[in-house]
Amino acid sequence: MDSTNKNDVYNTLSHWQSLRLKLLLQGIIVGIFSGFLIVFYRIVLEKAESLRSFILNLNISKYKLMPLWFLFLVVAAFIVGKLITNEPLISGSGIPQVEGVLLRKINMNWLSVIIKKFIGGVISIGAGLSLGREGPSIQLGAAMGQGVSRIFKRLKVEEKYLITSGASAGLAAAFNAPLAGVMFALEEVHKHFSPLVLLSAMSASLTADFISKHFFGLKPVFSFNNITPLPLESYGYIVLLGVIVGIFGAFYNYFLLKTQDIYSKQKWLQVKFRPMLPFLLSGLLALVIPQVLGGGHSIIESMIEGSFTLKMLFIILCVKFLFSMVSYGSGAPGGIFFPLLVLGALTGAIYGEVLVKFFGFNAGYINNFIILAMAGYFTAIVRAPITGSILITEMTGSFSHLLSLSMISLIAYAVADLLKSEPIYESLLERLLKNNGVYEFNGDSKNKVILEIPVCLDSKMDCKAIKDLKFSKNFLLVAIKRGEKEIIPRGNTVLQSGDYIHVLASEKDAALVKEELLKMCGKPAI
């Protein structure tokens, strides 16, 4: 090893010791930048949606107004298509892209992503596509986290934590849900508990949430007033609803991936022209059923007030589902979080109405089923039950449903798992890497990174001495974290569940090393 590499390794290891406090402070900085960016994004989105509603409700003959509106939609679709062509990473929600960046399998130009995702998301959602603001908010926050890292010239060791912090801050600011932002980073993005991720993500989320609440107030996203928790003797209905949304969630994942397949098989339809279909469809739906346009916040507000009949709920559910598939499958910038929550809420409302009309159930509990179905549907699709429960709790501002929310989330998770439905973001990331192999990251072997991997119960590493494990030669085991103690690894050191192993690897090998170690640390030995 030459002197340059020795110095690089020494700097990386010495920096690792003081990383916690630095990440805590840097998380606050990322939270400030990401918070203001997402607040601006939300404000512009609200203005765009208000402008759409104003135009469509003008006191002008439809025969004169609609041709002009369709012309605008064609131009808007063309602009979005050009943005996607120039920066493919802005397509869709952006969450799979963020996960790919953290796995070091995708290289992201943070400034390009921020500018083009912002513009593309505003145009797409403002025009009425059935897409949500949360996915773009997470990607915008993650890109801002990378930007902070690059601007302040932080080490590569820190960058992934700052990207994660930005993603957490993005979700927190988008939904006024700081705890859900933290849990999303742990449960979905990294898929393991890490004190470093927790510290940086929490500081960023709380900071971004503080900024968001300063502009949008302290009220939760949804106003469910005076809700009485379901009595324990009615929990059988929750079990049945959990099974239903679990099945529907698996169907949602299957259909979403199939929609992408249908788009990709149309060789005559270039990527830059794919958004044209949902944009034109939004124009038609504006004439027939305008309720399904946009993310769907107004739908949930109307359901809370009981404004829809059972027949209308069913129609909106079907049309919203199909429109969401067409919108997201086209690659237009926008997320699936909010639309899937709306679909879950519609399912819960229909379920509650059926119980009331045909089984004499108390109508006062319909809103309970709306809340529960949102959490269950989210869990079945994303496979993040803790995030789902906390997210819905923070969005509704009620902590009286934690037991029932946790229960339906677990049931929906189990049903989707039995149906062998893969988590949607994992499936989307796999497709992204497969279809965009040019984004496979080829790092400089001179750059070193520290990887932190948890040792899980009954895994291949649990209760094994280091000398008995067969590691590849692409990394160096430098430390073992056991609680607050740091152990210098030796051949006879026995690893235990709950340990965190810290390994030093070159940046170009980091993705493969992490994949290898996660298999050994996370999967039970056979």
Side-chain angles (χ1 to χ4, degrees):
M1 183 182 291
D2 59 36
S3 59
T4 302
N5 280 346
K6 284 183 179 179
N7 290 333
D8 187 51
V9 171
Y10 174 77
N11 291 335
T12 301
L13 292 176
S14 61
H15 185 77
W16 183 258
Q17 308 302 322
S18 59
L19 195 57
R20 284 192 179 188
L21 181 58
K22 290 181 179 179
L23 287 179
L24 178 65
L25 298 176
Q26 290 170 20
I28 295 174
I29 296 173
V30 170
I32 292 172
F33 282 99
S34 299
F36 279 112
L37 176 62
I38 304 309
V39 163
F40 183 49
Y41 184 63
R42 286 181 62 177
I43 291 173
V44 175
L45 275 179
E46 289 179 3
K47 297 295 184 184
E49 293 194 289
S50 297
L51 179 61
R52 183 190 72 233
S53 299
F54 174 77
I55 293 173
L56 294 178
N57 292 321
L58 284 174
N59 189 22
I60 301 176
S61 170
K62 295 294 182 183
Y63 295 105
K64 296 179 180 179
L65 177 62
M66 294 316 294
L68 294 175
W69 180 246
F70 273 98
L71 177 62
F72 165 77
L73 291 176
V74 169
V75 174
F78 178 77
I79 294 173
V80 170
K82 290 290 290 183
L83 290 172
I84 295 173
T85 305
N86 293 335
E87 182 54 81
L89 288 185
I90 70 167
S91 67
S93 71
I95 295 174
Q97 289 88 331
V98 171
E99 293 181 355
V101 170
L102 291 172
L103 289 172
R104 296 184 174 85
K105 293 185 177 181
I106 293 176
N107 191 16
M108 179 172 67
N109 183 332
W110 67 273
L111 185 59
S112 174
V113 167
I114 288 177
I115 295 172
K116 294 172 183 177
K117 187 75 170 191
F118 191 105
I119 297 172
V122 168
I123 294 175
S124 299
I125 300 173
L129 272 64
S130 184
L131 299 168
R133 66 174 182 253
E134 74 303 315
S137 297
I138 290 171
Q139 188 178 20
L140 288 171
M144 183 60 74
Q146 186 185 60
V148 169
S149 175
R150 300 286 171 87
I151 291 172
F152 293 100
K153 298 180 180 179
R154 307 318 302 162
L155 294 179
K156 287 292 183 180
V157 174
E158 298 174 37
E159 184 165 293
K160 68 174 183 178
Y161 294 105
L162 298 183
I163 291 173
T164 303
S165 300
S168 301
L171 180 57
F175 282 150
N176 292 355
L179 296 181
V182 176
M183 284 310 306
F184 184 79
L186 294 170
E187 190 177 24
E188 170 57 30
V189 177
H190 284 271
K191 295 179 175 60
H192 70 268
F193 180 87
S194 166
L196 292 176
V197 174
L198 177 65
L199 282 174
S200 56
M202 180 169 284
S203 60
S205 293
L206 292 174
T207 304
D209 183 60
F210 179 85
I211 293 171
S212 175
K213 282 184 168 64
H214 180 76
F215 285 89
F216 299 105
L218 298 175
K219 292 183 179 180
V221 176
F222 300 124
S223 300
F224 287 88
N225 298 319
N226 302 320
I227 295 182
T228 304
L230 280 167
L232 294 178
E233 56 268 21
S234 299
Y235 270 45
Y237 294 109
I238 298 179
V239 175
L240 179 58
L241 180 59
V243 173
I244 292 172
V245 294
I247 294 172
F248 284 2
F251 179 72
Y252 179 98
N253 286 359
Y254 173 81
F255 207 87
L256 185 66
L257 297 176
K258 281 296 179 184
T259 304
Q260 288 191 328
D261 289 338
I262 292 172
Y263 269 106
S264 62
K265 288 179 180 178
Q266 310 308 311
K267 302 300 181 183
W268 57 273
L269 185 62
Q270 297 180 37
V271 173
K272 63 181 178 181
F273 293 123
R274 288 178 186 174
M276 199 70 69
L277 179 59
F279 271 83
L280 294 177
L281 184 57
S282 71
L284 293 175
L285 292 174
L287 294 171
V288 182
I289 182 169
Q291 293 93 333
V292 302
L293 297 179
H297 186 277
S298 60
I299 296 177
I300 296 182
E301 294 291 346
S302 297
M303 280 190 289
I304 294 172
E305 298 170 2
S307 303
F308 296 130
T309 63
L310 181 60
K311 180 180 178 181
M312 192 62 186
L313 286 171
F314 186 76
I315 292 173
I316 293 175
L317 174 64
C318 294
V319 177
K320 184 70 174 175
F321 178 86
L322 293 174
F323 187 36
S324 297
M325 297 297 109
V326 175
S327 297
Y328 190 83
S330 69
I336 61 174
F337 253 49
F338 213 103
L340 72 83
L341 291 178
V342 172
L343 293 173
L346 286 164
T347 304
I350 293 172
Y351 181 78
E353 291 284 354
V354 169
L355 290 181
V356 170
K357 286 186 181 262
F358 299 101
F359 299 95
F361 201 75
N362 188 340
Y365 292 123
I366 291 180
N367 283 347
N368 294 67
F369 291 123
I370 292 175
I371 294 173
L372 293 172
M374 283 195 288
Y377 204 67
F378 174 89
T379 299
I381 293 169
V382 181
R383 295 302 180 78
I386 302 176
T387 301
S389 299
I390 294 176
L391 176 65
I392 301 305
T393 296
E394 291 186 296
M395 290 179 70
T396 58
S398 173
F399 289 87
S400 59
H401 302 281
L402 281 176
L403 175 61
S404 52
L405 283 172
S406 302
M407 180 178 175
I408 195 170
S409 295
L410 287 174
I411 293 169
Y413 185 103
V415 170
D417 195 54
L418 288 172
L419 294 174
K420 302 187 184 305
S421 174
E422 296 291 331
I424 190 61
Y425 291 124
E426 287 187 14
S427 301
L428 292 173
L429 175 58
E430 184 180 343
R431 287 180 172 230
L432 176 66
L433 297 176
K434 181 179 179 181
N435 296 333
N436 299 280
V438 294
Y439 287 103
E440 286 291 336
F441 190 81
N442 294 312
D444 183 355
S445 61
K446 293 183 180 179
N447 292 328
K448 304 297 186 298
V449 295
I450 293 283
L451 302 176
E452 181 187 56
I453 310 292
V455 178
C456 298
L457 184 66
D458 291 334
S459 66
K460 294 178 181 179
M461 286 192 185
D462 189 19
C463 298
K464 295 285 180 65
I466 293 175
K467 63 183 180 181
D468 296 329
L469 296 170
K470 295 181 179 179
F471 291 130
S472 67
K473 297 181 180 180
N474 295 329
F475 64 89
L476 178 65
L477 179 58
V478 294
I480 301 169
K481 195 79 172 179
R482 184 169 295 165
E484 292 300 316
K485 296 180 179 179
E486 190 168 283
I487 301 170
I488 298 175
R490 303 181 187 279
N492 58 356
T493 303
V494 178
L495 296 173
Q496 300 176 8
S497 61
D499 288 349
Y500 284 86
I501 62 172
H502 296 159
V503 302
L504 182 72
S506 64
E507 194 172 39
K508 73 180 183 65
D509 295 327
L512 292 176
V513 168
K514 186 172 183 178
E515 186 176 345
E516 173 192 345
L517 292 176
L518 283 175
K519 287 180 180 179
M520 298 181 70
C521 288
K523 292 188 177 181
I526 298 175

